[in-house]
Every structure is written in structure tokens, then in C-alpha cells.
Amino acid sequence: MPELPEVETVRTRLAPALTGRRFERVEILDPRLTRPFEPVAVAAELEGERVAAVERRGKYLVVRFESGRSLLIHLRMTGSLLHAPGGTLADDPYRRAVVKLDDGSDVAYRDVRRFGTWLLTGPDQLEPYFGARLGGEPLDRAFTSRRLAERLSNRRAPVKAVLLDQRTLAGMGNIYADEALWRARVHPLRAARDLAPDEIAQLTKGIKAALRAGIARQGATLRDYSTPDGGRGRMQHEFKVYGRSDEPCDRCGTPIEKTRVAGRGTWYCPGCQRLEPL
Ligand SMILES: [Zn+2]
């Protein structure tokens, strides 16, 4: 948390505010944000950069500058970005950075747990950086069930664990993996390589549908996530399984159960997501 739908929501809201604007003044208040680089040095590098585009890759927000450099922002567990007209930022003990733009407005970065990262990359560093860490984008047309089948075929780990691996596909996290598996009627503990072709086809559809549902509702606000205008997501009201222990499955009425996969709390319906064939 935040996952692909939350980061995409941030991107959509932030892009009009940032695109074409210059970073006039940058203050980075937390050395953990830019580790191992000095926050003062990174802030100095960022000042004067003009934003060409705001993109997303997996759970990374990518601020592309006209210079060819990019700022990669990863919100991790509790990071969020707020866009505010100049001079209207309220005091916040969890604020870790502020960018003043050349129209006088501010973009403030807040992070309670401080796991988020800001990384400034050179023009030739971006593709290798992502290439080593991220699989394909699940909402791309190129992400097909055949592509997913290739990624699952040699993995004996539970399918949910493989979905959480960002090299399988980029942007899935604990919430949307559970939601996608429910949609596909696949038990999260099934070995990835044992899924049948029709199950992989259903899983491909389930992944896309779960992520699109999240984007349509501006993501899910469980604790700290908020949109750049301070709003909340609405997806948390529409989860099919995530966090719904003992509530009836929307599809078959069986109470939802909780288990653990790869150390993460995992919710599923024992009625329509079977571990063993009937
Ligand atoms: Zn069910």
C-alpha cells in the first residue's frame, strides 16, 4: 500500500499541476528519503529542473524533466503527495520534503513510516533501473494471458507470492493480488506453475479488472493514502475479500477466510477459490 491504482491516481491528479512547471526551490528534510545521497545535494540538483511529464511505472511515480533526467518517487507504505497553493501548507510533523514550483504553489511530501524514496536518475539510467526490477505493466495491451503464463510456468511458489514479485508484473501489492485472485476463483496458495491455461486467462482478466476498479475509485484509503488534493479513495468500500474475514462472499455466500502467504495477511473465499479440485 499504495499499489498501482493509488499511484496512478496520484499521477493523474499531479500531472496537470506539475507539467511545464519549474522546480524553483526544493527542501528535503529527511536523509532517509534520498539515501545514500545527501539530501542537500539532491535538492540542489533538482532546483531549476522543468517538468516535461509525470508518468508511472509499477508503483513508481516518474517525474520526467526536460533535461532528460527523472525523479523516481516510491511512496512505499505511508508516503503521500499534496499539491497546495503557495503559502497554504499547514504544519505537519511528518512532512519530509517540499518543492516550490514557479507558479508559487507547493508540492509537499509526507511520510509517517519513512520508507519512501526519491531517486534522481540520469537520461540513460531509467530503463536499466526499471529493467532490473520490474516486469510488464498489467494494464498494457501487451500484458496477455500468454505473457502471464510465461511468468508463472517455472515458479513453484504460491501464485499470490509470485504476483507480489514486482518482476512478474509491476504494481501489484497485497490488496489487489487478493482481489484479482478472488475474481479469477484461484486459491492464493496454489503453486503458480500448476495453474491451468483457463485459470491463467481468468487471472489475467481478474488482475486488469481489480486494478481498473481501484483506479476508477481513486484508490483505497486505509490509513495514510490520500490524493494530491487531500481527498480519500473509495475502493476500500468495495473490496470483495481484502480485510473481510467472516463476511459472506458476494458470489457464493461462504464466509471469507484469512490465511498467510509469503508472510502477508491474505483473504480468500474457501467456497469458490479451491486449493484442491472437487
Ligand atoms: Zn465464494
Side-chain angles (χ1 to χ4, degrees), residues 162-184:
V162 177
L163 291 182
L164 292 177
D165 180 346
Q166 298 298 295
R167 293 165 302 181
T168 306
L169 50 117
M172 293 294 278
N174 205 36
I175 292 175
Y176 293 94
D178 282 5
E179 296 293 301
L181 288 162
W182 179 85
R183 286 171 184 263

Side-chain angles (χ1 to χ4, degrees), residues 182 249 251-254 269 271-272:
W182 179 85
C249 169
R251 201 160 44 203
C252 74
T254 307
C269 170
C272 49

Side-chain angles (χ1 to χ4, degrees), residues 64-65 67-70 72 119-133:
R64 283 189 182 267
F65 298 114
S67 65
R69 300 203 289 183
S70 298
L72 312 190
L119 177 66
L120 182 60
T121 62
D124 303 324
Q125 293 174 311
L126 195 59
E127 293 318 315
Y129 185 86
F130 286 145
R133 289 168 175 78

Side-chain angles (χ1 to χ4, degrees), residues 19-39:
T19 307
R21 300 268 67 88
R22 204 167 58 88
F23 279 24
E24 200 151 271
R25 198 153 50 79
V26 179
E27 243 187 317
I28 299 175
L29 309 162
D30 183 359
R32 279 179 60 160
L33 200 56
T34 56
R35 226 168 30 183
F37 304 103
E38 284 294 325

